[in-house]
Amino acid sequence: MNRRYLPLHLRLASASLMLLIASACASSPPAQPTQAVLPAPASPAASSTEQLWQQIQASAADNSCNSDSQCHTIGIGSKACGGPERYLAWSSQRSDGATLQRLVAQHSAARRADDDRQRSLSTCSMVSDPGASCRANRCTLNPAAPFGGQPLAR
């Protein structure tokens, strides 16, 4: 029988079968003894990221307020697909916004570098800015909206 008259699916099936047989007949290397995998030491970049996060928290720690106009949000971190990981509420009454923005920019750059180095993946979901309000004289993030809509009004 002439080979060119065989249907395409039969030719593909026989080629697949030949590859399967060839791989089954190939000898595999001897098994290596298993070794315990020790965690990698923390990289300097990871400790730098953690130090920056602690500085951000210290810079925004006093989030006291008298009105909603003193309450702001800032995006923290960096997702592998872009955008912040989360938002932080802060008050302009006693916090230095310029210092906080500088620290956040450094932290985001460090997180992006970590993601690049580790080849991190992300769900690429957007984290919406919930906004912040003055509640009980403290700036707090507004409650998350259901189904990813706008934040709920107070």
Side-chain angles (χ1 to χ4, degrees):
M1 180 175 204
N2 192 339
R3 191 170 171 207
R4 72 175 191 213
Y5 292 114
L6 285 176
L8 178 62
H9 67 279
L10 284 178
R11 284 188 276 166
L12 289 174
S14 58
S16 297
L17 183 60
M18 289 172 38
L19 283 173
L20 181 65
I21 292 171
S23 66
C25 293
S27 62
S28 61
Q32 298 292 326
T34 58
Q35 298 177 359
V37 178
L38 300 176
S43 69
S47 64
S48 171
T49 305
E50 182 59 32
Q51 288 172 351
L52 285 166
W53 173 239
Q54 289 172 0
Q55 290 175 4
I56 290 168
Q57 288 178 310
S59 180
D62 185 359
N63 62 356
S64 58
C65 59
N66 297 322
S67 70
D68 286 345
S69 65
Q70 296 170 328
C71 297
H72 312 278
T73 57
I74 192 163
I76 304 293
S78 175
K79 293 184 109 183
C81 287
E85 296 172 70
R86 61 183 169 271
Y87 285 88
L88 176 71
W90 66 280
S91 172
S92 57
Q93 184 181 33
R94 293 202 180 118
S95 297
D96 179 10
T99 299
L100 182 60
Q101 288 177 348
R102 180 182 51 80
L103 289 169
V104 166
Q106 291 174 350
H107 180 262
S108 295
R111 291 287 294 140
R112 278 191 299 278
D114 288 348
D115 287 344
D116 289 345
R117 187 174 29 267
Q118 297 168 2
R119 296 187 175 140
S120 296
L121 300 176
S122 171
T123 61
C124 298
S125 61
M126 289 284 300
V127 178
S128 297
D129 185 343
S133 302
C134 187
R135 291 192 190 96
N137 295 329
R138 310 275 302 159
C139 288
T140 58
L141 293 175
N142 291 328
F147 309 110
Q150 293 297 318
L152 298 173
R154 307 191 292 147

PDB file of all heavy atoms in Angstrom, residues 61-88:
ATOM      1  N   ALA A  61       2.281  55.595  60.492  1.00  0.00           N
ATOM      2  CA  ALA A  61       1.719  55.069  61.738  1.00  0.00           C
ATOM      3  C   ALA A  61       0.734  56.038  62.386  1.00  0.00           C
ATOM      4  O   ALA A  61      -0.295  55.626  62.916  1.00  0.00           O
ATOM      5  CB  ALA A  61       2.834  54.715  62.713  1.00  0.00           C
ATOM      6  N   ASP A  62       1.042  57.321  62.377  1.00  0.00           N
ATOM      7  CA  ASP A  62       0.137  58.297  62.993  1.00  0.00           C
ATOM      8  C   ASP A  62      -0.885  58.717  61.947  1.00  0.00           C
ATOM      9  O   ASP A  62      -0.673  59.662  61.192  1.00  0.00           O
ATOM     10  CB  ASP A  62       0.913  59.504  63.513  1.00  0.00           C
ATOM     11  CG  ASP A  62       0.015  60.479  64.277  1.00  0.00           C
ATOM     12  OD1 ASP A  62      -1.213  60.230  64.377  1.00  0.00           O
ATOM     13  OD2 ASP A  62       0.540  61.493  64.761  1.00  0.00           O
ATOM     14  N   ASN A  63      -1.991  58.010  61.891  1.00  0.00           N
ATOM     15  CA  ASN A  63      -3.013  58.345  60.892  1.00  0.00           C
ATOM     16  C   ASN A  63      -4.228  59.009  61.531  1.00  0.00           C
ATOM     17  O   ASN A  63      -5.354  58.805  61.131  1.00  0.00           O
ATOM     18  CB  ASN A  63      -3.392  57.120  60.051  1.00  0.00           C
ATOM     19  CG  ASN A  63      -3.983  56.000  60.861  1.00  0.00           C
ATOM     20  OD1 ASN A  63      -4.064  56.073  62.082  1.00  0.00           O
ATOM     21  ND2 ASN A  63      -4.406  54.953  60.186  1.00  0.00           N
ATOM     22  N   SER A  64      -3.944  59.865  62.536  1.00  0.00           N
ATOM     23  CA  SER A  64      -5.032  60.597  63.175  1.00  0.00           C
ATOM     24  C   SER A  64      -5.550  61.680  62.233  1.00  0.00           C
ATOM     25  O   SER A  64      -4.820  62.185  61.380  1.00  0.00           O
ATOM     26  CB  SER A  64      -4.554  61.199  64.500  1.00  0.00           C
ATOM     27  OG  SER A  64      -3.448  62.048  64.283  1.00  0.00           O
ATOM     28  N   CYS A  65      -6.836  62.013  62.380  1.00  0.00           N
ATOM     29  CA  CYS A  65      -7.467  62.978  61.477  1.00  0.00           C
ATOM     30  C   CYS A  65      -8.615  63.673  62.176  1.00  0.00           C
ATOM     31  O   CYS A  65      -9.125  63.211  63.197  1.00  0.00           O
ATOM     32  CB  CYS A  65      -7.977  62.272  60.229  1.00  0.00           C
ATOM     33  SG  CYS A  65      -9.170  60.964  60.564  1.00  0.00           S
ATOM     34  N   ASN A  66      -8.993  64.808  61.582  1.00  0.00           N
ATOM     35  CA  ASN A  66     -10.173  65.551  62.029  1.00  0.00           C
ATOM     36  C   ASN A  66     -11.250  65.564  60.959  1.00  0.00           C
ATOM     37  O   ASN A  66     -12.404  65.873  61.248  1.00  0.00           O
ATOM     38  CB  ASN A  66      -9.807  66.997  62.377  1.00  0.00           C
ATOM     39  CG  ASN A  66      -8.826  67.070  63.526  1.00  0.00           C
ATOM     40  OD1 ASN A  66      -8.920  66.297  64.471  1.00  0.00           O
ATOM     41  ND2 ASN A  66      -7.881  67.984  63.445  1.00  0.00           N
ATOM     42  N   SER A  67     -10.849  65.283  59.700  1.00  0.00           N
ATOM     43  CA  SER A  67     -11.804  65.308  58.594  1.00  0.00           C
ATOM     44  C   SER A  67     -11.357  64.355  57.489  1.00  0.00           C
ATOM     45  O   SER A  67     -10.189  63.963  57.426  1.00  0.00           O
ATOM     46  CB  SER A  67     -11.934  66.724  58.030  1.00  0.00           C
ATOM     47  OG  SER A  67     -10.749  67.087  57.356  1.00  0.00           O
ATOM     48  N   ASP A  68     -12.288  64.019  56.598  1.00  0.00           N
ATOM     49  CA  ASP A  68     -11.984  63.133  55.481  1.00  0.00           C
ATOM     50  C   ASP A  68     -10.928  63.723  54.553  1.00  0.00           C
ATOM     51  O   ASP A  68     -10.169  62.987  53.921  1.00  0.00           O
ATOM     52  CB  ASP A  68     -13.250  62.843  54.664  1.00  0.00           C
ATOM     53  CG  ASP A  68     -14.207  61.879  55.357  1.00  0.00           C
ATOM     54  OD1 ASP A  68     -13.781  61.209  56.323  1.00  0.00           O
ATOM     55  OD2 ASP A  68     -15.365  61.799  54.919  1.00  0.00           O
ATOM     56  N   SER A  69     -10.848  65.057  54.476  1.00  0.00           N
ATOM     57  CA  SER A  69      -9.885  65.688  53.566  1.00  0.00           C
ATOM     58  C   SER A  69      -8.435  65.406  53.964  1.00  0.00           C
ATOM     59  O   SER A  69      -7.537  65.571  53.143  1.00  0.00           O
ATOM     60  CB  SER A  69     -10.130  67.200  53.498  1.00  0.00           C
ATOM     61  OG  SER A  69      -9.870  67.796  54.756  1.00  0.00           O
ATOM     62  N   GLN A  70      -8.187  64.972  55.184  1.00  0.00           N
ATOM     63  CA  GLN A  70      -6.837  64.643  55.638  1.00  0.00           C
ATOM     64  C   GLN A  70      -6.474  63.190  55.346  1.00  0.00           C
ATOM     65  O   GLN A  70      -5.325  62.796  55.526  1.00  0.00           O
ATOM     66  CB  GLN A  70      -6.708  64.908  57.143  1.00  0.00           C
ATOM     67  CG  GLN A  70      -6.879  66.362  57.504  1.00  0.00           C
ATOM     68  CD  GLN A  70      -7.001  66.566  59.001  1.00  0.00           C
ATOM     69  OE1 GLN A  70      -7.533  65.712  59.730  1.00  0.00           O
ATOM     70  NE2 GLN A  70      -6.530  67.719  59.470  1.00  0.00           N
ATOM     71  N   CYS A  71      -7.430  62.401  54.892  1.00  0.00           N
ATOM     72  CA  CYS A  71      -7.210  60.973  54.669  1.00  0.00           C
ATOM     73  C   CYS A  71      -6.933  60.685  53.201  1.00  0.00           C
ATOM     74  O   CYS A  71      -7.647  61.153  52.316  1.00  0.00           O
ATOM     75  CB  CYS A  71      -8.415  60.171  55.143  1.00  0.00           C
ATOM     76  SG  CYS A  71      -8.691  60.327  56.919  1.00  0.00           S
ATOM     77  N   HIS A  72      -5.901  59.884  52.969  1.00  0.00           N
ATOM     78  CA  HIS A  72      -5.469  59.553  51.617  1.00  0.00           C
ATOM     79  C   HIS A  72      -5.109  58.073  51.556  1.00  0.00           C
ATOM     80  O   HIS A  72      -4.937  57.423  52.590  1.00  0.00           O
ATOM     81  CB  HIS A  72      -4.232  60.383  51.239  1.00  0.00           C
ATOM     82  CG  HIS A  72      -4.371  61.840  51.552  1.00  0.00           C
ATOM     83  ND1 HIS A  72      -5.019  62.717  50.725  1.00  0.00           N
ATOM     84  CD2 HIS A  72      -3.965  62.551  52.638  1.00  0.00           C
ATOM     85  CE1 HIS A  72      -4.995  63.922  51.263  1.00  0.00           C
ATOM     86  NE2 HIS A  72      -4.358  63.847  52.422  1.00  0.00           N
ATOM     87  N   THR A  73      -4.988  57.555  50.354  1.00  0.00           N
ATOM     88  CA  THR A  73      -4.508  56.184  50.163  1.00  0.00           C
ATOM     89  C   THR A  73      -3.270  56.227  49.279  1.00  0.00           C
ATOM     90  O   THR A  73      -3.091  57.148  48.486  1.00  0.00           O
ATOM     91  CB  THR A  73      -5.563  55.288  49.495  1.00  0.00           C
ATOM     92  OG1 THR A  73      -5.942  55.864  48.251  1.00  0.00           O
ATOM     93  CG2 THR A  73      -6.777  55.093  50.383  1.00  0.00           C
ATOM     94  N   ILE A  74      -2.460  55.202  49.431  1.00  0.00           N
ATOM     95  CA  ILE A  74      -1.282  55.059  48.579  1.00  0.00           C
ATOM     96  C   ILE A  74      -1.119  53.582  48.251  1.00  0.00           C
ATOM     97  O   ILE A  74      -1.309  52.720  49.123  1.00  0.00           O
ATOM     98  CB  ILE A  74      -0.021  55.658  49.257  1.00  0.00           C
ATOM     99  CG1 ILE A  74       1.120  55.763  48.259  1.00  0.00           C
ATOM    100  CG2 ILE A  74       0.363  54.897  50.514  1.00  0.00           C
ATOM    101  CD1 ILE A  74       2.235  56.684  48.705  1.00  0.00           C
ATOM    102  N   GLY A  75      -0.828  53.282  46.985  1.00  0.00           N
ATOM    103  CA  GLY A  75      -0.641  51.897  46.537  1.00  0.00           C
ATOM    104  C   GLY A  75       0.697  51.373  47.014  1.00  0.00           C
ATOM    105  O   GLY A  75       1.731  52.028  46.854  1.00  0.00           O
ATOM    106  N   ILE A  76       0.684  50.192  47.588  1.00  0.00           N
ATOM    107  CA  ILE A  76       1.888  49.575  48.166  1.00  0.00           C
ATOM    108  C   ILE A  76       2.262  48.343  47.369  1.00  0.00           C
ATOM    109  O   ILE A  76       1.407  47.550  46.977  1.00  0.00           O
ATOM    110  CB  ILE A  76       1.630  49.151  49.630  1.00  0.00           C
ATOM    111  CG1 ILE A  76       1.171  50.336  50.465  1.00  0.00           C
ATOM    112  CG2 ILE A  76       2.866  48.502  50.240  1.00  0.00           C
ATOM    113  CD1 ILE A  76       2.198  51.402  50.668  1.00  0.00           C
ATOM    114  N   GLY A  77       3.560  48.148  47.159  1.00  0.00           N
ATOM    115  CA  GLY A  77       4.064  46.945  46.505  1.00  0.00           C
ATOM    116  C   GLY A  77       3.892  47.001  45.004  1.00  0.00           C
ATOM    117  O   GLY A  77       3.594  48.046  44.425  1.00  0.00           O
ATOM    118  N   SER A  78       4.087  45.852  44.390  1.00  0.00           N
ATOM    119  CA  SER A  78       4.001  45.768  42.938  1.00  0.00           C
ATOM    120  C   SER A  78       3.616  44.346  42.557  1.00  0.00           C
ATOM    121  O   SER A  78       4.270  43.394  42.979  1.00  0.00           O
ATOM    122  CB  SER A  78       5.359  46.123  42.324  1.00  0.00           C
ATOM    123  OG  SER A  78       5.330  45.942  40.947  1.00  0.00           O
ATOM    124  N   LYS A  79       2.565  44.217  41.769  1.00  0.00           N
ATOM    125  CA  LYS A  79       2.176  42.902  41.260  1.00  0.00           C
ATOM    126  C   LYS A  79       2.993  42.599  40.012  1.00  0.00           C
ATOM    127  O   LYS A  79       3.428  43.507  39.306  1.00  0.00           O
ATOM    128  CB  LYS A  79       0.684  42.881  40.940  1.00  0.00           C
ATOM    129  CG  LYS A  79      -0.180  42.996  42.180  1.00  0.00           C
ATOM    130  CD  LYS A  79      -1.622  42.876  41.828  1.00  0.00           C
ATOM    131  CE  LYS A  79      -2.095  41.550  42.346  1.00  0.00           C
ATOM    132  NZ  LYS A  79      -3.459  41.255  42.035  1.00  0.00           N
ATOM    133  N   ALA A  80       3.192  41.345  39.727  1.00  0.00           N
ATOM    134  CA  ALA A  80       4.002  40.932  38.578  1.00  0.00           C
ATOM    135  C   ALA A  80       3.450  41.486  37.265  1.00  0.00           C
ATOM    136  O   ALA A  80       4.205  41.784  36.352  1.00  0.00           O
ATOM    137  CB  ALA A  80       4.100  39.409  38.520  1.00  0.00           C
ATOM    138  N   CYS A  81       2.143  41.644  37.157  1.00  0.00           N
ATOM    139  CA  CYS A  81       1.540  42.190  35.936  1.00  0.00           C
ATOM    140  C   CYS A  81       1.386  43.699  35.991  1.00  0.00           C
ATOM    141  O   CYS A  81       0.855  44.305  35.078  1.00  0.00           O
ATOM    142  CB  CYS A  81       0.180  41.555  35.693  1.00  0.00           C
ATOM    143  SG  CYS A  81       0.287  39.858  35.143  1.00  0.00           S
ATOM    144  N   GLY A  82       1.802  44.305  37.080  1.00  0.00           N
ATOM    145  CA  GLY A  82       1.695  45.746  37.231  1.00  0.00           C
ATOM    146  C   GLY A  82       0.641  46.126  38.247  1.00  0.00           C
ATOM    147  O   GLY A  82      -0.242  45.350  38.569  1.00  0.00           O
ATOM    148  N   GLY A  83       0.756  47.324  38.753  1.00  0.00           N
ATOM    149  CA  GLY A  83      -0.183  47.821  39.750  1.00  0.00           C
ATOM    150  C   GLY A  83       0.229  47.432  41.150  1.00  0.00           C
ATOM    151  O   GLY A  83       1.092  46.585  41.356  1.00  0.00           O
ATOM    152  N   PRO A  84      -0.376  48.082  42.143  1.00  0.00           N
ATOM    153  CA  PRO A  84      -0.036  47.801  43.544  1.00  0.00           C
ATOM    154  C   PRO A  84      -0.645  46.496  44.039  1.00  0.00           C
ATOM    155  O   PRO A  84      -1.633  46.012  43.499  1.00  0.00           O
ATOM    156  CB  PRO A  84      -0.614  49.001  44.291  1.00  0.00           C
ATOM    157  CG  PRO A  84      -1.745  49.464  43.440  1.00  0.00           C
ATOM    158  CD  PRO A  84      -1.350  49.171  42.019  1.00  0.00           C
ATOM    159  N   GLU A  85      -0.031  45.960  45.094  1.00  0.00           N
ATOM    160  CA  GLU A  85      -0.551  44.749  45.732  1.00  0.00           C
ATOM    161  C   GLU A  85      -1.727  45.073  46.654  1.00  0.00           C
ATOM    162  O   GLU A  85      -2.639  44.274  46.810  1.00  0.00           O
ATOM    163  CB  GLU A  85       0.549  44.088  46.563  1.00  0.00           C
ATOM    164  CG  GLU A  85       1.713  43.585  45.744  1.00  0.00           C
ATOM    165  CD  GLU A  85       2.858  43.118  46.622  1.00  0.00           C
ATOM    166  OE1 GLU A  85       2.699  42.072  47.293  1.00  0.00           O
ATOM    167  OE2 GLU A  85       3.888  43.799  46.650  1.00  0.00           O
ATOM    168  N   ARG A  86      -1.642  46.240  47.291  1.00  0.00           N
ATOM    169  CA  ARG A  86      -2.674  46.654  48.241  1.00  0.00           C
ATOM    170  C   ARG A  86      -2.567  48.169  48.436  1.00  0.00           C
ATOM    171  O   ARG A  86      -1.660  48.804  47.918  1.00  0.00           O
ATOM    172  CB  ARG A  86      -2.516  45.934  49.574  1.00  0.00           C
ATOM    173  CG  ARG A  86      -1.196  46.219  50.261  1.00  0.00           C
ATOM    174  CD  ARG A  86      -1.074  45.410  51.553  1.00  0.00           C
ATOM    175  NE  ARG A  86       0.263  45.482  52.084  1.00  0.00           N
ATOM    176  CZ  ARG A  86       1.247  44.658  51.786  1.00  0.00           C
ATOM    177  NH1 ARG A  86       1.033  43.667  50.953  1.00  0.00           N
ATOM    178  NH2 ARG A  86       2.441  44.791  52.312  1.00  0.00           N
ATOM    179  N   TYR A  87      -3.478  48.708  49.227  1.00  0.00           N
ATOM    180  CA  TYR A  87      -3.480  50.138  49.523  1.00  0.00           C
ATOM    181  C   TYR A  87      -3.343  50.355  51.027  1.00  0.00           C
ATOM    182  O   TYR A  87      -3.756  49.509  51.824  1.00  0.00           O
ATOM    183  CB  TYR A  87      -4.759  50.795  49.001  1.00  0.00           C
ATOM    184  CG  TYR A  87      -4.728  50.964  47.509  1.00  0.00           C
ATOM    185  CD1 TYR A  87      -5.163  49.951  46.662  1.00  0.00           C
ATOM    186  CD2 TYR A  87      -4.224  52.126  46.933  1.00  0.00           C
ATOM    187  CE1 TYR A  87      -5.105  50.089  45.290  1.00  0.00           C
ATOM    188  CE2 TYR A  87      -4.159  52.270  45.561  1.00  0.00           C
ATOM    189  CZ  TYR A  87      -4.602  51.259  44.749  1.00  0.00           C
ATOM    190  OH  TYR A  87      -4.530  51.399  43.388  1.00  0.00           O
ATOM    191  N   LEU A  88      -2.766  51.487  51.356  1.00  0.00           N
ATOM    192  CA  LEU A  88      -2.552  51.865  52.744  1.00  0.00           C
ATOM    193  C   LEU A  88      -3.195  53.222  52.963  1.00  0.00           C
ATOM    194  O   LEU A  88      -3.027  54.136  52.141  1.00  0.00           O
ATOM    195  CB  LEU A  88      -1.045  51.941  53.022  1.00  0.00           C
ATOM    196  CG  LEU A  88      -0.599  52.403  54.402  1.00  0.00           C
ATOM    197  CD1 LEU A  88      -0.918  51.313  55.437  1.00  0.00           C
ATOM    198  CD2 LEU A  88       0.888  52.698  54.407  1.00  0.00           C
TER     199      LEU A  88
END
